[in-house]
Amino acid sequence: MEVFYYLVFGALAMIVGALEFSKNNKDRISTSSAFNSFKNNYLVVYSLMMAGDWLQGPYVYYLYSTYGFGKGEIGRLFIAGFGSSMLFGTIVGSLADKQGRKRACVTYCITYILSCITKHSPDYKILMVGRVLGGIATSLLFSAFESWLVAEHNKRGFEQQWLSLTFSKAIFLGNGLIAIIAGLLGNVLADTFEFGPVAPFDAAACFLAIGMAIILSTWSENFGDPSESKDLLSQFKGAAVAIASDEKIALLGAIQSLFEGSMYTFVFLWTPALSPNDEEIPHGFIFATFMLASMLGSSIASQLMARPSLKVESYMQIVFMISASTFLIPVLANFFVPPSTVKGGSISFAGCILLFGFCTFESCVGIFWPSIMKMRSQYIPEEARSTIMNFFRIPLNIFVCIVLYNVNAFPITVMFGMCSIFLFMAAVLQRRLMVVAESHKPKSQDWASMKDKDMESEPLKI
């Protein structure tokens, strides 16, 4: 069955290569040399940050299991990560807007490096601390870097359409090529060189340290709302008002939470789904295959977003419907494909079918990331970008924590079915967002007026 993995990987690689080489002038955007220099600097940093994240991905569950922890105990460790992201994420997001996005990015590096160090200990409490640190770092990764990029892009006066180019390239590299290399590197370190499952975490810490050095030496600082009269509570209030007063922002947050909640649940489920009878599967290679599928999706997204006439809000409805369909495959396979009764061995026939479905879902993930970034840059006001983006993560983390807490209470097929329903709901909300966006103008100017009213209604704090 080892040949099967190479066939899937090779087929995806050929499709990605064909798409990239088939791009014509209509698929490319003409830019300036100053922008290219700025873009390349960000892509290097973002790729290093994502390398630090992706190196850990395939081995988190496996490392905990080698320390002797069961599915329930591992589930609680995952809950600690998502719970800390929910509790502290909004706070660090607001601090990023007020104290500076560059500082927040450096904080991400330091926090994640400390999290990697804790993986050397088999002590459950120390591992729990590491998960809490990892949750905080995740909140910064998915808010501070994007907020810095959008603000810096606008501050330098680059064209708005060029921003989608940076987004698609960042996902193609950071969530695609770098993730593939990270998966293969992790496989070499952990299995080929037999350094063990903790080795990828050490490598991740090294990449994060290099990225932090580049940030400190080349990035300038930018802020959201620099008003000194605004404390954290006022920032939370302003962000909540922005979400409540603009249906587009609220819909965007709901869509993001539904999709990412299903995605993070999948991260926890794919290993037991492909090896229900303890089949021997190459975790790093399968992870690299998933990332190649994501790379395929980002390549498709770059071509879609290069066409001004094609709206992101339109094609994302189809993407969410396809995503929902892929999570129905484990449910249907449970009924129509005879389960394997052999313990150990290679991946089963049902596992092969699931792998195809999971690769399709990862392709949808590759389209989702640059597309959601594009929509966030259009609808979320700059003054509280990090705060609002972390507000979006609150329902996401609640959802994932509930699922993981009850991981032993429901079969895997039930959880996949539930995720499929949520993805279908995301498609419905995406349809609503398109309708609202076509009938209303962006409300970035409304945010400024709300901020002025808020300033007038509250006395200055000295």
Side-chain angles (χ1 to χ4, degrees):
M1 273 294 183
E2 285 73 15
V3 176
F4 169 72
Y5 299 116
Y6 292 110
L7 288 175
V8 175
F9 189 91
L12 286 171
M14 290 176 63
I15 297 173
V16 172
L19 276 176
E20 286 298 304
F21 284 114
S22 67
K23 287 184 177 179
N24 52 40
N25 291 332
K26 292 182 179 179
D27 300 318
R28 305 182 189 278
I29 302 174
S30 179
T31 59
S32 66
S33 58
F35 169 76
N36 288 334
S37 177
F38 167 75
K39 179 195 67 177
N40 292 337
N41 174 269
Y42 178 80
L43 291 177
V44 169
V45 172
Y46 186 78
S47 296
L48 288 168
M49 299 300 102
M50 294 308 299
D53 187 51
W54 289 126
L55 271 165
Q56 304 176 53
Y59 292 95
V60 176
Y61 189 102
Y62 181 58
L63 176 68
Y64 294 152
S65 65
T66 59
Y67 285 152
F69 301 117
K71 188 194 291 186
E73 293 171 306
I74 296 174
R76 286 190 288 274
L77 286 169
F78 274 78
I79 289 172
F82 289 107
S84 71
S85 180
M86 177 181 64
L87 293 175
F88 302 116
T90 309
I91 296 175
V92 297
S94 296
L95 289 174
D97 285 329
K98 191 171 183 63
Q99 302 298 326
R101 278 75 177 264
K102 176 182 175 180
R103 289 191 183 95
C105 294
V106 172
T107 303
Y108 160 78
C109 297
I110 296 172
T111 306
Y112 225 179
I113 289 172
L114 293 175
S115 177
C116 291
I117 293 173
T118 64
K119 299 300 187 293
H120 282 271
S121 173
D123 186 271
Y124 193 77
K125 293 180 180 178
I126 294 178
L127 292 173
M128 186 69 74
V129 172
R131 288 300 300 173
V132 171
L133 292 172
I136 296 172
T138 300
S139 294
L140 290 168
L141 175 62
F142 292 109
S143 60
F145 287 89
E146 183 180 331
S147 297
W148 181 89
L149 170 65
V150 174
E152 198 69 19
H153 181 99
N154 294 330
K155 186 169 71 174
R156 299 191 183 199
F158 298 134
E159 292 186 21
Q160 192 65 26
Q161 189 185 10
W162 297 355
L163 193 58
S164 63
L165 178 62
T166 307
F167 286 149
S168 60
K169 286 293 184 183
I171 300 304
F172 185 83
L173 293 174
N175 287 34
L177 183 61
I178 295 300
I180 294 168
I181 295 173
L184 297 175
L185 176 60
N187 206 68
V188 169
L189 292 174
D191 300 328
T192 306
F193 291 161
E194 297 182 349
F195 290 152
V198 76
F201 296 91
D202 294 334
C206 294
F207 284 116
L208 292 168
I210 295 171
M212 181 171 64
I214 297 175
I215 292 173
L216 289 170
S217 60
T218 63
W219 283 22
S220 60
E221 188 62 275
N222 63 54
F223 303 86
D225 184 2
S227 173
E228 295 184 3
S229 64
K230 286 270 191 168
D231 55 19
L232 284 178
L233 187 60
S234 298
Q235 286 183 272
F236 294 159
K237 178 183 175 183
V241 169
I243 295 172
S245 62
D246 192 336
E247 186 181 358
K248 296 191 296 298
I249 298 178
L251 286 169
L252 191 63
I255 291 167
Q256 177 179 322
S257 296
L258 289 168
F259 187 89
E260 290 191 34
S262 301
M263 182 186 68
Y264 285 121
T265 303
F266 168 74
V267 169
F268 186 81
L269 295 179
W270 74 262
T271 297
L274 293 178
S275 55
N277 294 309
D278 298 323
E279 288 89 348
E280 296 179 4
I281 58 175
H283 294 84
F285 195 84
I286 291 177
F287 178 78
T289 304
F290 286 161
M291 296 305 101
L292 183 58
S294 178
M295 196 172 173
L296 169 62
S298 64
S299 181
I300 294 172
S302 67
Q303 296 193 29
L304 294 174
M305 291 192 296
R307 291 166 167 77
S309 59
L310 185 60
K311 299 295 183 182
V312 175
E313 293 83 356
S314 177
Y315 70 73
M316 282 306 297
Q317 298 173 58
I318 302 173
V319 171
F320 290 138
M321 290 299 295
I322 295 174
S323 301
S325 301
T326 61
F327 280 172
L328 287 177
I329 294 176
V331 180
L332 297 174
N334 185 59
F335 288 102
F336 297 108
V337 180
S340 174
T341 57
V342 180
K343 282 285 184 181
S346 58
I347 189 170
S348 65
F349 176 68
C352 294
I353 296 175
L354 295 186
L355 185 61
F356 279 118
F358 293 164
C359 287
T360 304
F361 173 73
E362 285 291 345
S363 296
C364 294
V365 172
I367 300 175
F368 168 80
W369 281 120
S371 302
I372 198 73
M373 289 176 176
K374 176 69 174 177
M375 289 189 285
R376 284 195 299 238
S377 69
Q378 293 173 340
Y379 300 133
I380 300 179
E382 176 60 37
E383 290 83 353
R385 184 175 301 276
S386 293
T387 306
I388 293 176
M389 287 171 62
N390 278 295
F391 258 80
F392 289 170
R393 298 184 65 82
I394 293 176
L396 152 69
N397 288 307
I398 291 175
F399 165 66
V400 177
C401 286
I402 292 173
V403 170
L404 294 181
Y405 185 77
N406 296 283
V407 70
N408 287 323
F410 302 102
I412 286 179
T413 52
V414 172
M415 288 190 281
F416 273 117
M418 184 172 55
C419 289
S420 179
I421 293 173
F422 287 131
L423 291 169
F424 176 77
M425 292 171 58
V428 174
L429 294 179
Q430 184 67 63
R431 170 67 181 176
R432 173 60 184 171
L433 177 59
M434 185 182 73
V435 173
V436 174
E438 289 177 349
S439 59
H440 294 84
K441 294 181 179 180
K443 290 192 175 183
S444 58
Q445 67 271 22
D446 293 349
W447 167 265
S449 62
M450 283 190 296
K451 186 178 72 169
D452 293 338
K453 290 180 181 178
D454 189 44
M455 290 285 290
E456 294 173 0
S457 61
E458 294 186 8
L460 293 177
K461 294 177 176 61
I462 302 176

